[in-house]
Amino acid sequence: MNLGERIKTLRQERRLQQRQLAEKSGLTPSLVSQIESGRLTPSLRTLGKLAGALGIPIASLFETPPNGRIHVNRKADYPVVSFDGTTEKWSVLGAGLFEGKIRAVVSTLGPKAKGVKTEKVIIAPGQMKLFYVIDGRVALHYNGERHTLAAGESAVLDGGVPHGWENLGTKQAK
């Protein structure tokens, strides 16, 4: 189930029409329709408004019940999140596992762009993050230090400490 389908299911479970969800979230009915149909990727701010209107935390928008002990997500079904003010996009891997110890995303950032600031993405102190560069050359800013990493290199860090990244190249970085 993709993100738009999940929002539609949650809306229908609450017996809301698209227009009613739009009113409760401060969005237009057209925007809600485009999100539910998968024609539009919502920003994190928009997801927050929808989650608030549905009375759930944002993480619940990505939850799907696992099949027994295995949780399989297909690439075509990865929810994609964008952030206002940046070219960064996240493909959420293992959607539905946010309440556990694992939070996995593939972050894509445009040429010479900076990623989202950590205060926009709530991570508890002590929750660890694996930062692995798939493509490109990036600078990882962590606790006032700058670390340059290339494809295949990684860092493990405490996600509760201020951090961010920027693409140093002229092509998209992952």
Side-chain angles (χ1 to χ4, degrees), residues 81-104:
V81 178
S82 62
F83 299 90
D84 294 334
T86 178
T87 64
E88 186 168 11
K89 290 191 183 214
W90 287 4
S91 295
V92 182
L93 313 180
L97 303 177
F98 282 118
E99 299 305 317
K101 296 178 182 179
I102 300 171
R103 182 173 294 184

Side-chain angles (χ1 to χ4, degrees), residues 36-48:
E36 286 187 358
S37 68
R39 292 186 313 251
L40 182 86
T41 301
S43 69
L44 189 59
R45 176 186 287 161
T46 300
L47 287 176

Side-chain angles (χ1 to χ4, degrees), residues 1-172:
M1 178 181 302
N2 67 34
L3 180 60
E5 291 169 342
R6 176 76 175 140
I7 291 168
K8 182 177 181 177
T9 298
L10 290 166
R11 174 181 59 78
Q12 290 172 336
E13 286 174 358
R14 286 155 181 76
R15 297 191 169 121
L16 294 171
Q17 296 175 357
Q18 280 184 345
R19 177 186 47 77
Q20 292 170 310
L21 178 58
E23 288 173 10
K24 287 182 77 162
S25 61
L27 303 172
T28 65
S30 173
L31 182 63
V32 172
S33 174
Q34 289 177 54
I35 292 168
E36 286 187 358
S37 68
R39 292 186 313 251
L40 182 86
T41 301
S43 69
L44 189 59
R45 176 186 287 161
T46 300
L47 287 176
K49 289 179 179 184
L50 288 168
L54 293 167
I56 58 172
I58 291 177
S60 295
L61 295 174
F62 302 104
E63 291 177 353
T64 55
N67 304 325
R69 293 179 176 244
I70 186 170
H71 190 97
V72 176
N73 283 105
R74 304 289 179 207
K75 184 176 180 180
D77 295 331
Y78 292 160
V80 177
V81 178
S82 62
F83 299 90
D84 294 334
T86 178
T87 64
E88 186 168 11
K89 290 191 183 214
W90 287 4
S91 295
V92 182
L93 313 180
L97 303 177
F98 282 118
E99 299 305 317
K101 296 178 182 179
I102 300 171
R103 182 173 294 184
V105 301
V106 173
S107 180
T108 305
L109 191 57
K112 300 287 185 182
K114 290 188 178 183
V116 66
K117 295 183 186 248
T118 54
E119 57 266 16
K120 290 188 178 184
V121 183
I122 300 168
I123 296 177
Q127 184 177 21
M128 301 305 289
K129 239 186 187 180
L130 169 63
F131 188 89
Y132 178 82
V133 181
I134 298 170
D135 288 316
R137 190 169 154 267
V138 302
L140 173 61
H141 301 277
Y142 183 78
N143 205 22
E145 296 178 1
R146 182 177 191 255
H147 306 272
T148 302
L149 300 167
E153 298 179 331
S154 65
V156 177
L157 54 100
D158 180 340
V161 174
H163 62 280
W165 70 297
E166 67 180 298
N167 181 352
L168 300 174
T170 57
K171 294 182 180 175
Q172 179 174 282

